[in-house]
Amino acid sequence: MLKKLIFYFFLFVPVFSIAQKKDKQAKKAAATITIDDLKSRLAIIASPEMEGRNTPSAGLEKAADYISSQFKSFGLLPGNNGSYRQTYPLYQDEVISSAMQVNEEAMVEQQDFTPFSRNYAADMYFSQAVFAGYGIVDEGKRNDYKGLDVTGKLVVILNGTPDDYTTASRSFRSPSSVYGKMQAAAKEGAAALFIVFPKLSKGFSGFSDSWTRQIYKSSQTIFSFFISEDAAAKIIGTDGNSVLTQLKTGSLTSKTCEADIHLAYNKKTKTSSASNIIGVLEGSDLKDEYVFITAHYDHLGKRGEAIYYGADDDGSGTTAVLEMAEAFAKAKADGHGPRRSIVFMTVSGEEKGLWGSAYYTDHPIFPLDKTTVDLNIDMIGRTDSSRHYGDSLNYVYVVGDDKLSTDLKPISEKINQLYTKLELDYKFNDPNDKNRIYFRSDHYNFADKGVPIIFYYDGMLGADYHKPTDTPDKINYALYQKRAQLVFYTAWEMANRDEMLKRDLKLSVPSR
Ligand SMILES: [Zn+2]
């Protein structure tokens, strides 16, 4: 009887696929992630020579070369057709000329008008303009175009919001934002748009005249100029009061104004590029499945003489990826390579809007449905000064382990319990957290395509965040090492377990 009982017991006990005891080889490899190594590599990544690693820039290219050379020295295979680089194009518009005339009178650029920096090149002549108040269209609440036909016309609207209108949305796409008003005017069929500002400051162009990843668009932004109240008065007319005062006192309503207006804008488009750096450690029996370990190596560059070193953001993640790559490569050289292939990827353009990871997940080199996980690191070297509970020197924020796969959390927690014993803090995992961290770094592009992710983060949003003072001397290296080792052990487990992580949860994106 007893024998049979034991037999049944073993038969029906669920099979634990998570490591239940420490793996000697994993420990040996993790021990090569040393404080000295982290220090010396981060000193290079966040050095003045890298000039803050703006996307695109010479400093970023230097960092790319350094990361590639490190991957090569570890013996990693180039991830993209013989190259460590996956390069994507970037575009920047440069204004050649712009002009505005009202009734043959030339307006002065920067003083009377500033063209929208993303305008297409055009030359337009109008004999009329339609004034449409604040130009707000907010479904069911307000429509400043009511009763107006602006098809093919030049529309004049005021910046800002009227006193009798409130909106909860503070997004840059809200109906009362500049962007929202441009969208509304385009939807109404307008050919061009003037947005009136009380004063135009020098260099004002509404949106920064910066590099962009997208040059091909499904629709063009409406041809727009930002104009001063004085310039607007020449079109709308004046009763001695400013346009804004006229509107507020009710002496000004929506109307068609007769005026000969000439608008001209000419530009040229410059091109550049940036790269993701990808190194691969080939697996053994499961080498056609992939574990991704990612971090962004770009930061904010320079403003004037000030270098934004980005030591924590995200020099810490980049350096951790390098250290993990070295540790896994050493273990493989000792005969303890991973079963799945491990892809070490440092991406660029994160600070500009997750460009590199978006490009990778739109142009994946390794099948996303064979990518079991992305472990993404963005800032793991410092402490959160606003965290007033627990052990402030022994924690890490973990984000996303309850999404897409029910396998993530048990593995993450078990591995931490076995090896690193950090406090895993889920504060930023709350879908209602205003920081929306799940959507704010590169892992989101993987999650959006269904790849389970865990994101590791230190919560540094204090005085040095996105400041030139985010420097290597502020890093807590002992804590940094421990966090890097947690990611390493987690990757080790995920690379070696029998099954890929199951994808059994749907990702729901909370509304803003
Ligand atoms: Zn970052």
Side-chain angles (χ1 to χ4, degrees):
M1 278 296 280
L2 196 60
K3 251 187 175 162
K4 214 168 188 179
L5 257 179
I6 289 170
F7 172 76
Y8 276 115
F9 176 76
F10 278 110
L11 196 68
F12 290 112
V13 154
V15 182
F16 284 101
S17 56
I18 307 169
Q20 293 297 302
K21 59 178 179 33
K22 289 183 189 172
D23 180 325
K24 254 198 224 145
Q25 297 306 330
K27 275 210 83 171
K28 199 177 151 200
T32 69
I33 302 174
T34 63
I35 289 178
D36 281 351
D37 277 7
L38 290 168
K39 247 186 201 165
S40 59
R41 287 211 167 96
L42 181 56
I44 296 169
I45 296 283
S47 66
E49 289 73 45
M50 305 287 181
E51 298 181 313
R53 312 182 302 280
N54 192 30
T55 306
S57 72
L60 186 77
E61 292 308 303
K62 272 188 197 162
D65 286 341
Y66 172 69
I67 296 161
S68 306
S69 74
Q70 294 296 297
F71 281 171
K72 193 175 178 190
S73 75
F74 305 151
L76 300 193
L77 298 172
N80 188 23
N81 258 322
S83 170
Y84 289 101
R85 285 170 180 258
Q86 183 190 39
T87 302
Y88 54 91
L90 293 171
Y91 309 93
Q92 186 182 45
D93 285 345
E94 196 179 312
V95 183
I96 296 170
S97 63
S98 65
M100 172 181 170
Q101 276 178 20
V102 179
N103 296 324
E104 306 289 310
E105 183 188 346
M107 300 288 108
V108 180
E109 191 173 349
Q110 308 275 7
Q111 179 189 309
D112 299 320
F113 76 96
T114 306
F116 176 46
S117 60
R118 301 265 164 90
N119 271 353
Y120 47 84
D123 220 350
M124 293 186 188
Y125 295 85
F126 295 95
S127 61
Q128 287 184 336
V130 181
F131 181 65
Y134 283 91
I136 296 170
V137 179
D138 190 350
E139 277 297 303
K141 276 182 100 177
R142 183 185 180 98
N143 184 355
D144 289 339
Y145 290 92
K146 209 171 158 193
L148 296 176
D149 179 7
V150 298
T151 312
K153 301 203 169 177
L154 168 62
V155 170
V156 185
I157 59 169
L158 279 180
N159 183 49
T161 48
D163 297 339
D164 61 347
Y165 171 80
T166 50
T167 172
S169 173
R170 251 174 271 134
S171 149
F172 79 101
R173 294 168 191 275
S174 77
S176 60
S177 68
V178 167
Y179 178 85
K181 291 179 181 189
M182 284 180 169
Q183 294 288 97
K187 227 174 156 187
E188 294 293 325
L193 181 67
F194 280 159
I195 303 180
V196 182
F197 283 75
K199 245 198 178 67
L200 296 176
S201 53
K202 222 175 160 51
F204 178 90
S205 66
F207 291 75
S208 67
D209 187 14
S210 54
W211 290 95
T212 171
R213 200 166 75 80
Q214 311 290 5
I215 193 172
Y216 300 98
K217 298 173 190 164
S218 55
S219 61
Q220 300 296 325
T221 315
I222 188 164
F223 191 72
S224 304
F225 279 55
F226 306 104
I227 67 170
S228 68
E229 274 200 295
D230 289 349
K234 292 183 200 296
I235 300 160
I236 296 169
T238 171
D239 57 4
N241 287 311
S242 73
V243 173
L244 187 62
T245 312
Q246 290 180 61
L247 194 68
K248 284 205 162 141
T249 55
S251 66
L252 185 61
T253 50
S254 303
K255 62 172 179 178
T256 298
C257 316
E258 303 295 328
D260 288 344
I261 297 159
H262 175 211
L263 299 174
Y265 185 76
N266 199 5
K267 69 174 185 184
K268 73 168 184 242
T269 302
K270 295 193 290 183
T271 58
S272 184
S273 63
S275 304
N276 300 323
I277 310 301
I278 307 170
V280 182
L281 190 71
E282 203 175 46
S284 54
D285 61 321
L286 301 173
K287 69 174 162 45
D288 294 331
E289 295 173 3
Y290 305 89
V291 168
F292 266 64
I293 306 178
T294 55
H296 73 88
Y297 72 100
D298 69 299
H299 193 54
L300 303 172
K302 285 199 304 188
R303 309 224 169 124
E305 286 308 298
I307 296 174
Y308 289 66
Y309 294 96
D312 194 34
D313 187 6
D314 185 22
S316 64
T318 302
T319 303
V321 169
L322 289 175
E323 279 298 304
M324 279 185 257
E326 188 181 35
F328 273 110
K330 275 184 182 158
K332 185 176 175 180
D334 290 348
H336 304 288
R339 295 178 67 195
R340 290 185 178 80
S341 296
I342 306 184
V343 181
F344 301 91
M345 177 163 79
T346 63
V347 299
S348 52
E350 191 272 351
E351 303 285 9
K352 296 294 162 72
L354 314 184
W355 287 351
S357 54
Y359 188 83
Y360 176 81
T361 50
D362 284 343
H363 306 85
I365 298 166
F366 309 98
L368 291 171
D369 61 353
K370 293 286 173 196
T371 300
T372 185
V373 73
D374 171 41
L375 302 177
N376 186 45
I377 313 163
D378 190 356
M379 301 161 66
I380 56 161
R382 291 184 57 170
T383 52
D384 178 356
S385 53
S386 69
R387 187 177 187 266
H388 300 302
Y389 51 87
D391 184 349
S392 62
L393 296 178
N394 194 47
Y395 77 97
V396 66
Y397 292 115
V398 173
V399 178
D401 72 342
D402 60 343
K403 296 177 180 65
L404 294 166
S405 175
T406 53
D407 287 336
L408 284 169
K409 198 191 240 341
I411 295 174
S412 168
E413 296 199 331
K414 184 80 209 176
I415 291 300
N416 179 55
Q417 184 198 321
L418 269 179
Y419 296 102
T420 37
K421 297 188 170 54
L422 284 154
E423 291 176 16
L424 304 185
D425 190 329
Y426 299 108
K427 179 185 142 188
F428 288 104
N429 200 36
D430 183 341
N432 297 316
D433 183 78
K434 65 176 179 358
N435 292 293
R436 297 171 54 84
I437 295 292
Y438 191 79
F439 308 93
R440 269 179 57 185
S441 187
D442 297 299
H443 52 269
Y444 179 67
N445 283 318
F446 283 86
D448 190 41
K449 297 271 202 264
V451 178
I453 67 100
I454 300 180
F455 175 50
Y456 301 90
Y457 172 58
D458 62 22
M460 196 272 282
L461 283 167
D464 297 326
Y465 177 70
H466 283 196
K467 296 274 157 48
T469 48
D470 176 7
T471 47
D473 56 295
K474 308 252 176 74
I475 300 285
N476 180 326
Y477 283 93
L479 180 54
Y480 175 23
Q481 176 194 37
K482 219 170 172 187
R483 289 165 174 163
Q485 287 175 338
L486 168 66
V487 184
F488 173 84
Y489 285 121
T490 307
W492 181 285
E493 171 69 19
M494 290 178 179
N496 288 309
R497 71 200 294 270
D498 289 335
E499 300 294 326
M500 281 193 34
L501 302 181
K502 57 177 175 286
R503 301 181 180 189
D504 54 347
L505 299 173
K506 249 186 106 71
L507 185 63
S508 64
V509 181
S511 57
R512 280 161 205 245

